[in-house]
Structures are given as structure tokens and as C-alpha cells.
């Protein structure tokens, strides 16, 4: 591959700011949208351009931010900004991580501008390289430009400088073309002019944006290239913009899956994280959150009112009104409504899990039914078993968790308590209300409840004058008359 010197590219990502307007303990660039921190989105886009180096500048909560950055993109270089504040200073320290004579282009990205796509940046780079300018600014024309730096052009349209909102005159503030906080600079020109940037402005910071006017003063040209999608230039400074960025990203993700063949009934109430994957002919019903690395196989229906975090949903499964985390749901399984699948749940093919059921760290075999009011924790259930309503694994004895093993084709009676550790052999059955403390051999019926004893007339004797006693007395005398008549018939 032939590579000319001028095609060399380094990317600088600015992530050192405090993000005061977020009013958060968490550094701004670590706030997530689509299940990934803001700076993670920026890094992903940066890496897609295959630059020879990515430098991320950190300062506020540096260890937290640096950790998240190296997790997301192990190959990047992290540099520390010193006490001099401002985006200009941030880029200045970043340049120290490049060779002093680096001859290529430096693409500067803001860690809080998460929605720009690699295509947009690639075309910005092409525009820059095709023209003989020292810098190209990505701009956007917004209806409401409040808070952004404005691109000020001369009468002939050439870019003369960028002015920050806080330093703008009324006339400058009325300009609607904004600086997206993304630029390409020729490295030598950038280096030479950054050292000239001062701090005489409303915020007392070294503004990167001041480089534009300084380049012009050196008779170097600067271009501004409008982003094709102005909304993607959104910068996140506060929680209102964070929610807006999350919404825009989600709309993009939902649309992408729709075009891949997924039916999404209500995009506005469907939230899909960027790492989730959905197969064709999946149906997503309203108010459903598909989060983390969740995967959903062909033909499955999820929702309404369902939240899946890092789950695997099998082909043709139905998962409605479910909260699930780190669960594996097999092909053709039916779960819900009102079901909680906790980490370690693995449901085999064709399993049915019904209402008010909670499962944790449990494997359930093919075709087994877990229909109503059941808790299964730390258990292994065979295939084609049927657990009666109210079956509970008592897996915790105040000290340790214990396992319950349930064989194939086991049927438990309603309200069976399985006191772990305990094992039910294949084909075993338990009576209603059984408390199972000892293993049940294969094929045995386990009963732990004493035989029923009826104390005749107890209510009339012990609760005289109550409604129950009155109706019982009536029923008993009617029964007696009936018995007498039958006696006569004989
Ligand atoms: C900046 C631009 C503004 C542009 C807007 C686009 C400047 C002076 N202004 O304003 O023209 O319209 O972005 O979104 O550049 N950062 C550092 N070190 C610092 C300060 C900031 O690394 O000392 C980082 C922040 O973490 C952030 C980015 O730089 O990721 C932008 O900083 P921010 O304070 O949000 O700048 P804006 O006021 O939005
Ligand atoms: Ca910003």
C-alpha cells in the first residue's frame, strides 16, 4: 500500500473537562447513551477511521475516565492535561504524544459530541485534504444555536474566527452556524498557533477555537464544512441534551433494525442498546428495553413492558411483561406475564414460565412447565417436569445457598417447599403442601402433610352467632333432611 506523508492521520479526543453543567459525580463523558459512555461512542467512530494514533486527553476524575477509555479502545494513548483550562490547552498537551515533526492531519473530536458518524468525519477529512487549507471546522446550522461557538464568516463567506456564546456580541450570537467541536488541522500549523492562544476571554480558558483567527492572521485559510445531519452535531453539556442525544441515537438504532427486518411497533417506547442484536422477523412490542449485549433470534416476540439486560432469546420465543438479566431463553420458550428471570437462568427448548415466577441460577430442561407463583433458585430441573403452583426452592439456610436437583418428568404438588440440598429422582411426585427435606427416589410419591381430620360441628360450637355458624347449621340440617329422605326411599 502506498501511503503519502500527507495522508497520515492522528485523532485527538477531548475528555478532560469537568462537565459542570451535568451536576453529576460521574464525569460527563462517562454518562451512557445506548448502553455505552459518551466517550465510547466517540472512540468507536475515531477507530473506524483507522488513524495511526488516537490520543485521549483526561484530567477531571482521570483514573475513572482513563479506565473507561482503555476498556473501550485498548490501543489508545491517554495523556493528562495540566492545570491550564480549556480545549486549546487540551490539544496542546495531546500534541506532545505525537512526534514533534508529525507531518499529517490532526482530527480533533469532543468527548461530549457522541452522534457524529465515521462517514461524516471521513468526508470532512476528504474536504480538508482536497483544499489547501490549514484547518477545516465541522459546522452545523441549528434553529437554536444557544451555547455553541458561532462560525463568523467574512462578507465573502470565508471563515474568519469562532466566537464562544459567552464572548459573543448580540449580532454574533444571532449567527446560526455553529462549531460542532470537531476539526481537522494540519499538524505543524496547529502546533505553531496553539502556543499563541491566550486566556483573555469570559471563561479565562485557552480556547482551541481561537486557533482559527490566529491561522487567518498568519494568512492561512480555514474552511467550515457543514455536517449533512445537523442534529448529529449535538453536544452534551447538561441532562436535557443527554436525554436528547439518547433519543436520537435510539431512533437511529431502531430504524437500523427495522430496515434489517425487525417489526418494532412503537419506536418511541422501544429502547435498544447499541450492542444488542436482533434477527429478522423478531417482533418488539411497546415499552420494551433491549439492553447490553442482548441477542434475540428469528421469529421471537418480546414485549410489551419487557426489560432484557444481556440476555439470549431463542428463535420463536415469546417473552412478554418480563424483567430478565443474564438469562438464556431457549427456542420456542414462553415466558410471562410478570416474570423475573435473574442471572444464571437457562431455559431449555419449549419451556413455559408463567406469572409471578422468579428464577435465579437455574437450568430448566426441555418442555418443562413452571407456570404459577414459583421460586427456583440454585436448581437443576429435568425435562418435561411440571411444577405445581407455589413450588418453592428453599435454597438459603441463613448461612449458605444449596442446590435442588429435580429429575425428568417430576410433578410437584401445589405449595411444595423443596428444602435444599435435596434431590427429586426422575418421575417422582410430591403431594400438595409437601415440605421435602429428604431426597425422593425415582418414581416415589412424597407426602409430608398429616392426613386430613374433620372435626364435625366445630364452627357452630366455637363460633356461635356468626354468619358462618348460621349457614353451616342450615347446610347441616338440609343435609340431614336429605339423608332422612334417602333413607325412606330405600
Ligand atoms: C466547545 C467549543 C464550542 C463548540 C462546542 C461544540 C471551545 C472553546 N468551544 O464548547 O465552540 O460549539 O464545544 O460542542 O472549544 N475539555 C477538555 N479540557 C478542558 C475543557 C474541555 O478536554 O480544559 C473537553 C471536554 O471534556 C469536552 C470538550 O472538551 O469533551 C468540550 O468542552 P466543553 O466545556 O463542553 O466546551 P463547550 O462549552 O461545549
Ligand atoms: Ca460541550
Amino acid at each position: 500500500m502506498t501511503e503519502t506523508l500527507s495522508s497520515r492521520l492522528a485523532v485527538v479526543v477531548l475528555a478532560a473537562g469537568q462537565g459542570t453543567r451535568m451536576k453529576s459525580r460521574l464525569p460527563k463523558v462517562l454518562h451512557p447513551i445506548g448502553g455505552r459512555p459518551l466517550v465510547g461512542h466517540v472512540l468507536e467512530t475515531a477507530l473506524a477511521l483507522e488513524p495511526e494514533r488516537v490520543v485521549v486527553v483526561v484530567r477531571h476524575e482521570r483514573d475513572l475516565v482513563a479506565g473507561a477509555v482503555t476498556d473501550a479502545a485498548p490501543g489508545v494513548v491517554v495523556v493528562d492535561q495540566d492545570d491550564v483550562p480549556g480545549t486549546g490547552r487540551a490539544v496542546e498537551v495531546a500534541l506532545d504524544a505525537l512526534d514533534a515533526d508529525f507531518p499529517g492531519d490532526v482530527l480533533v473530536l469532543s468527548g461530549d459530541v457522541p452522534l457524529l458518524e465515521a462517514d461524516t468525519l471521513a468526508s470532512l477529512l476528504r474536504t480538508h485534504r482536497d483544499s489547501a487549507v490549514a484547518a477545516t471546522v465541522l459546522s452545523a446550522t441549528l434553529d437554536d444555536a444557544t451555547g455553541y461557538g458561532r462560525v463568523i464568516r467574512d462578507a465573502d463567506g470565508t471563515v474568519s474566527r469562532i466566537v464562544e456564546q459567552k464572548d459573543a456580541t448580540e449580532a454574533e450570537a444571532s449567527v446560526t452556524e455553529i462549531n460542532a467541536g470537531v476539526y481537522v488541522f494540519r499538524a505543524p500549523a496547529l502546533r505553531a498557533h496553539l502556543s499563541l492562544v491566550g486566556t483573555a476571554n469570559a471563561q479565562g480558558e485557552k480556547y482551541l477555537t481561537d486557533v482559527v483567527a490566529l491561522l487567518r492572521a498568519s494568512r492561512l485559510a480555514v474552511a467550515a464544512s457543514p455536517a449533512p445531519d445537523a442534529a448529529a452535531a449535538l453536544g452534551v453539556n447538561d441532562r436535557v441534551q443527554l436525554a436528547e442525544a439518547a433519543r436520537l441515537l435510539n431512533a437511529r438504532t431502531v430504524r437500523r433494525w427495522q430496515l434489517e427486518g425487525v417489526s418494532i411497533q412503537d419506536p418511541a417506547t422501544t429502547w435498544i442498546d447499541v450492542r444488542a442484536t436482533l434477527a429478522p422477523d423478531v417482533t418488539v412490542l411497546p415499552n420494551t428495553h433491549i439492553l447490553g449485549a442482548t441477542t434475540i433470534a428469528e421469529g421471537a416476540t418480546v414485549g410489551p413492558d419487557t426489560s432484557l439486560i444481556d440476555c439470549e432469546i431463542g428463535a420463536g420465543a415469546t417473552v412478554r411483561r418480563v424483567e430478565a438479566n443474564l438469562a438464556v431463553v431457549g427456542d420456542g420458550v414462553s415466558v410471562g406475564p410478570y416474570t423475573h428471570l435473574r442471572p444464571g437462568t437457562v431455559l431449555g427448548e419449549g419451556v413455559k414460565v408463567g406469572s409471578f415466577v422468579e428464577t435465579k441460577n437455574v437450568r430448566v430442561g426441555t418442555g418443562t412447565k413452571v407456570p404459577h407463583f414459583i421460586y427456583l433458585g440454585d436448581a437443576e430441573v429435568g425435562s418435561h417436569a411440571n411444577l405445581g403452583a407455589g413450588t418453592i426452592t428453599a435454597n438459603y439456610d441463613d448461612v449458605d445457598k444449596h442446590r435442588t436437583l429435580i429429575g425428568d418428568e417430576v410433578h410437584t404438588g401445589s405449595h411444595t417447599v423443596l428444602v435444599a440440598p435435596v434431590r427429586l429422582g426422575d418421575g417422582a411426585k410430591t403431594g400438595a403442601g409437601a415440605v421435602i427435606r429428604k431426597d425422593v427416589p425415582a418414581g416415589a410419591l412424597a407426602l409430608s402433610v398429616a392426613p386430613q381430620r374433620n372435626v364435625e360441628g366445630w364452627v357452630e360450637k366455637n363460633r356461635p352467632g356468626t354468619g358462618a355458624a348460621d349457614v353451616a347449621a342450615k347446610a347441616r340440617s338440609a343435609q340431614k333432611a336429605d339423608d332422612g329422605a334417602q333413607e325412606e326411599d330405600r
Side-chain angles (χ1 to χ4, degrees), residues 120 123-124 127-128 136-140 153 159 177-178 223-228:
T120 304
S123 90
L124 178 74
T127 308
H128 172 78
T136 305
V137 179
L138 185 71
S139 72
R153 293 176 185 266
V159 175
E177 186 182 17
I178 61 109
S225 171

Side-chain angles (χ1 to χ4, degrees), residues 21 28 110 112-113 148 235-237:
R21 290 163 280 182
K28 173 170 73 178
S110 293
D112 64 348
V113 180
Y148 291 93
V236 174
N237 296 316

